Amino acid sequence: TVPATSTASASSDVYDVSSIVENCMPSVVSITNVGTQEFRTIFGNYEQESQSSGSGIIIGQNDSELLIATNNHVVEDADTLSVCFVDDQAYEATVKGTDADNDLAVIAVKLSDISDDTMSQIKIAEIGDSDQLQVGEQVVAIGNALGYGQSVTTGIVSAVNRQLEDSDSENGFIQTDAAINPGNSGGALLNMQGQ
């Protein structure tokens, strides 16, 4: 068994895709957001419960919580959030902080809520340096594609430091040709060192 305080890879090693998936899947989570959506019709306004899915990456742990990075749009307007780990066990999560301009959020699951069995199967992701990415470098994407559970796609870095017209973010984006589907939001884009 591996405690959650271990990291998902050793940065000097280069892995094949199946090794990256085996090593890094325990760092990726599925997130379910249950919220309330308001509809306006010619008959008036009404509210309906809505559910959406996304992904997240285990990025750290403090004295009382496991911390998970995701996209802000995955968790915004949530009445309740649940996080499903690699062992298919789901736990309630809370939002720790958000940055809407960069579409980032950090959510937390209480360590006291997580079973020892789950803790033995999850890992903290090793965070890479995006400034070191090169165009043409192979990458692997892991996420909760289409809300059906974790899936894996591969591709290359198509461009770096891309700017988007409709984004308020001053940061450049990574463009990849790895297939990204709804539900992948917040998931991991990994280099061949599993970072």
Side-chain angles (χ1 to χ4, degrees):
T1 61
V2 180
T5 53
S6 68
T7 55
S9 68
S11 60
S12 60
D13 297 330
V14 174
Y15 299 105
D16 65 17
V17 172
S18 62
S19 297
I20 290 171
V21 171
E22 181 180 357
N23 200 29
C24 298
M25 190 74 83
S27 303
V28 182
V29 303
S30 300
I31 299 171
T32 301
N33 174 340
V34 177
T36 305
Q37 193 169 18
E38 185 173 309
F39 294 93
R40 293 184 179 146
T41 70
I42 59 172
F43 303 109
N45 297 343
Y46 69 96
E47 293 182 344
Q48 180 176 340
E49 186 177 272
S50 63
Q51 180 172 308
S52 60
S53 299
S55 306
I57 308 163
I58 302 170
I59 56 163
Q61 179 178 321
N62 61 29
D63 291 341
S64 61
E65 300 165 315
L66 194 67
L67 302 172
I68 298 162
T70 186
N71 286 126
N72 181 60
H73 75 265
V74 170
V75 300
E76 67 184 345
D77 301 326
D79 293 333
T80 61
L81 284 175
S82 65
V83 169
C84 186
F85 293 105
V86 67
D87 62 350
D88 290 327
Q89 296 301 305
Y91 299 89
E92 184 177 343
T94 57
V95 176
K96 292 290 287 185
T98 61
D99 178 350
D101 288 346
N102 288 298
D103 196 19
L104 294 174
V106 174
I107 63 175
V109 177
K110 290 180 184 175
L111 292 175
S112 59
D113 290 346
I114 304 174
S115 73
D116 291 342
D117 187 52
T118 295
M119 287 299 288
S120 73
Q121 296 183 56
I122 60 179
K123 296 179 181 180
I124 295 172
E126 182 178 347
I127 305 301
D129 182 356
S130 59
D131 290 338
Q132 301 301 313
L133 274 181
Q134 296 181 3
V135 172
E137 189 174 337
Q138 189 173 5
V139 289
V140 177
I142 302 177
N144 182 22
L146 304 173
Y148 293 127
Q150 305 298 29
S151 65
V152 178
T153 57
T154 62
I156 61 166
V157 175
S158 303
V160 293
N161 295 317
R162 281 281 194 239
Q163 298 297 324
L164 300 178
E165 289 180 19
D166 61 346
S167 173
D168 292 328
S169 175
E170 296 178 10
N171 297 320
F173 293 92
I174 300 165
Q175 180 181 343
T176 181
D177 67 350
I180 306 295
N181 294 293
N184 273 113
S185 292
L189 184 67
L190 302 155
N191 62 21
M192 296 309 287
Q193 288 78 44
Q195 299 171 319

